[in-house]
Amino acid sequence: MARFILACETFAIVLLTSQLTNRLTAHGQERVGGDNKYPPLWDDVPDSLGEFDTIHNKTVINPWNYLERMGMYKTLLSVTAKYMSNFGPGNTGNVLWGLPLQHGWQFNTGRLADPSKGSSCGQQAGDPLCISTRSWWSCMNYYLATIPFLGAIEAGFFEDWPFEIKVLQPEEYMDNFCYTAADCRVLNPAMMATWTTFFQLLKITNEYSQMEILPTISSEEDNIWHHLWMAHVASIEAALPQCSERLAYISAPEAQFGVSWANAVEFIALTHFPTNFNQTNSFQVFLPQRMLLAGDKAPSIPDLSKEENRVLVGLDILYKGNQLTGGWLLKVWRRTMCSEKGRAVGRNLLENAVANPDLILSGMRNLFVEFIKNHHCTTINI
């Protein structure tokens, strides 16, 4: 009976999580080919420290301006490109693409604007490039934008830059954030350490690759995905308590979507899902393309697509199921993803479950086999 229950729980995880990548390999790739595959205003975004203002020997970055926060991402993509040459042509395989593409989706859908309506920050009729400190999404994203950037600084990616780099504080909620690597080590040392380690790993891996002493390219990539997702999850876990107060500014459906999305990221992370340019674009076209309103109830939100409605339902059920089982669903999934083979099976199922329904039963069977095989696993893979 116990094994039957575990099998049912694993089935629930697979079925629900597969909705997050609905039609990933089918319609998603077609939509990526459109004009909007890059984040909004990408051509106007700084791609090096030299494009930010330098005042009194300090290079100043304002993370509460969309172009400048996105500029941190674009600069990171630029300085890490040479370490990602094996991942895809033209830097499209860079593992960091998921971060700016997600930030662009937040901007495009109005999730970075002031949800309290107490200012014109982020409003088209006011200051459209302003990122509001009252936005739950902008607060969460800060931990996935500024913190990685500070980690890269600490790892020595900008050691030749002749000026001090200063990250500006917001006008409110100052204590919810950190602005230097030293500050971040105090606020959350584990989070800061994971990002610094990730960027240090890129350098070390590149050196080993040049000396041809890495076992295989696939093991190199998996190790990088492992450390990236470990840092990603650490940022989310650190951000949640700092940003929770802002949920009061948004509708109940939008708040539920936000926390459910944060919960789902942990499941996705355990597969080492590749957040490169193409797959991230394919993935997020089915996230809701506007803020959810008080009367919205998936799967019957008329102006959202069928896929967007399904994703909202899947995220909600996955979140509530994990809460009701005291985190047991995540524990089952974690153990199943403990091996490289298990992660490969999980990724394959996520990417193909909808496009190739015949794979669902065999994929679930393979996942359950991996769960049983990994019963002695004690290593946490993120």
Side-chain angles (χ1 to χ4, degrees), residues 60-177:
V60 179
I61 299 175
N62 178 12
W64 309 103
N65 173 277
Y66 169 75
L67 293 179
E68 297 200 29
R69 185 181 291 195
M70 187 64 82
M72 289 191 285
Y73 286 136
K74 198 172 183 180
T75 300
L76 288 179
L77 285 170
S78 178
V79 298
T80 58
K82 67 180 181 180
Y83 304 105
M84 308 283 185
S85 58
N86 291 331
F87 286 57
N91 208 26
T92 58
N94 196 310
V95 302
L96 295 173
W97 265 116
L99 299 175
L101 288 169
Q102 181 79 171
H103 186 47
W105 166 78
Q106 293 166 351
F107 176 79
N108 241 359
T109 58
R111 288 180 163 86
L112 302 178
D114 184 355
S116 73
K117 309 301 182 184
S119 73
S120 62
C121 181
Q123 305 296 333
Q124 288 300 317
D127 184 356
L129 297 179
C130 175
I131 294 178
S132 175
T133 56
R134 298 178 185 179
S135 161
W136 181 85
W137 292 96
S138 82
C139 179
M140 295 292 292
N141 177 262
Y142 183 94
Y143 283 78
L144 289 165
T146 304
I147 311 307
F149 193 79
L150 294 174
I153 293 175
E154 191 167 56
F157 272 77
F158 304 104
E159 59 188 358
D160 294 332
W161 185 247
F163 306 112
E164 177 186 346
I165 300 171
K166 180 179 180 180
V167 175
L168 295 183
Q169 297 185 12
E171 295 181 357
E172 55 183 349
Y173 296 112
M174 288 84 75
D175 293 341
N176 289 160
F177 308 104

Side-chain angles (χ1 to χ4, degrees), residues 286-334:
F286 298 115
L287 295 178
Q289 299 303 305
R290 65 162 174 81
M291 294 275 285
L292 301 182
L293 306 176
D296 287 335
K297 186 172 179 59
S300 304
I301 305 175
D303 62 331
L304 297 188
S305 69
K306 179 173 62 176
E307 291 80 15
E308 290 170 73
N309 273 282
R310 285 177 178 172
V311 164
L312 289 171
V313 171
L315 287 169
D316 187 50
I317 296 176
L318 185 61
Y319 171 79
K320 291 177 178 176
N322 197 42
Q323 292 291 306
L324 288 172
T325 59
W328 180 247
L329 290 183
L330 183 59
K331 292 177 183 177
V332 172
W333 186 251
R334 185 185 298 276

